[in-house]
């Protein structure tokens, strides 16, 4: 897979998007790929005029969200094209920054890049051993935690992510389940995180941590949100951050 990040925003600069994309590429290569045992992918900042490899996924940075509370989403359409959007204004209007801090455009981009990387078709679920399926979203459960990577000597914030052990009901006790080791056991949700789960015979539902921000909750019901799209009456393969 090749992920191209294209800036359509007037609120973040092309240079900032370039740094954010480079940070995501470094995170994929040095942190996510080794922990998940998956070949790294290419992540680059691009332009609308730049030719891209066949099958490339495109994540655009835009000013305004298309749903209250939405920070970003990714999807696969009926033709197999993978694409996504990240929204700058909700981040900046709620005290965030382009490249720094727990709430930042770069962290939202990282979130979407990583989840596109490991579940591009938005179709994977894990069984918890008690009849419940959990969506394969590797940043949602730890959405409130971030860390920094250095790009050209500058720190850029990226998202924390869970490890394969988070989805393993049989993981040995005390095994790390997320990169920053904030969680203690599989299927645990951080206070500021959330997850999508589905009981046998039921419909998908969002489960929120105790401190998950109220202003972000409507975005989880976006028409492209995994919770909504996993409902049988709707298209099954689209997800929101």
């Amino acid at each position: 897979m090749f992920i191209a990040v294209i800036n359509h925003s007037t609120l973040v600069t092309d240079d900032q998007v370039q740094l954010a994309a480079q940070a995501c590429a470094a995170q994929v290569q040095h942190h996510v790929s080794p922990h998940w045992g998956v070949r790294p992918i290419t992540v680059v900042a691009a332009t609308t005029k730049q030719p891209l490899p066949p099958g490339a996924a495109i994540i655009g940075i835009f000013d305004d969200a298309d749903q209250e509370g939405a920070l970003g989403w990714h999807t696969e359409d009926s033709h197999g094209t993978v694409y996504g959007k990240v929204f700058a204004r909700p981040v900046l209007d709620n005290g965030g920054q382009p490249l720094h801090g727990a709430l930042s455009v770069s962290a939202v981009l990282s979130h979407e890049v990583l989840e596109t990387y490991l579940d591009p078709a938005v179709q994977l679920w894990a069984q918890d051993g008690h009849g419940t399926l959990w969506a394969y979203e590797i940043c949602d459960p730890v959405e409130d935690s971030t860390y920094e990577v250095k790009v050209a000597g500058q720190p850029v914030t990226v998202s924390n992510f869970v490890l394969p052990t988070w989805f393993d009901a049989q993981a040995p006790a005390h095994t790390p389940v997320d990169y920053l080791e904030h969680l203690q056991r599989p299927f645990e949700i951080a206070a500021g995180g959330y997850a999508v789960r589905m009981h046998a015979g039921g419909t998908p539902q969002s489960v929120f941590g105790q401190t998950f921000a109220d202003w972000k909750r409507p975005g989880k019901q976006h028409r492209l949100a995994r919770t909504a799209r996993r409902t049988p009456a709707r298209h099954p393969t689209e997800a929101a951050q």
Side-chain angles (χ1 to χ4, degrees), residues 166-191:
W166 191 89
F167 297 97
D168 182 3
Q170 304 301 318
H174 309 299
T175 300
V177 295
D178 69 288
Y179 182 70
L180 296 180
E181 300 189 22
H182 288 174
L183 304 181
Q184 303 299 315
R185 60 187 180 276
F187 305 106
E188 180 183 1
I189 301 171

Side-chain angles (χ1 to χ4, degrees), residues 72-170:
W73 49 260
H74 75 282
T75 182
E76 181 190 42
D77 68 16
S78 59
H79 302 289
T81 301
V82 177
Y83 66 97
K85 293 184 178 181
V86 168
F87 307 111
R89 196 181 304 277
V91 172
L92 304 178
D93 283 355
N94 285 279
Q97 300 294 325
L99 298 175
H100 307 291
L103 182 60
S104 59
V105 176
S106 59
V108 177
L109 177 62
S110 165
H111 185 134
E112 295 306 329
V113 165
L114 299 192
E115 293 187 342
T116 299
Y117 171 38
L118 290 177
D119 187 12
V122 197
Q123 64 183 350
L124 301 179
W125 296 85
Q127 165 67 257
D128 68 1
H130 300 284
T132 299
L133 297 175
W134 295 75
Y136 237 72
E137 299 282 357
I138 75 165
C139 295
D140 290 348
V142 288
E143 183 171 301
D144 61 332
S145 59
T146 60
Y147 64 101
E148 292 182 341
V149 298
K150 286 288 187 69
V151 177
Q154 297 188 48
V156 178
T157 301
V158 295
S159 177
N160 188 17
F161 59 93
V162 299
L163 308 178
T165 47
W166 191 89
F167 297 97
D168 182 3
Q170 304 301 318

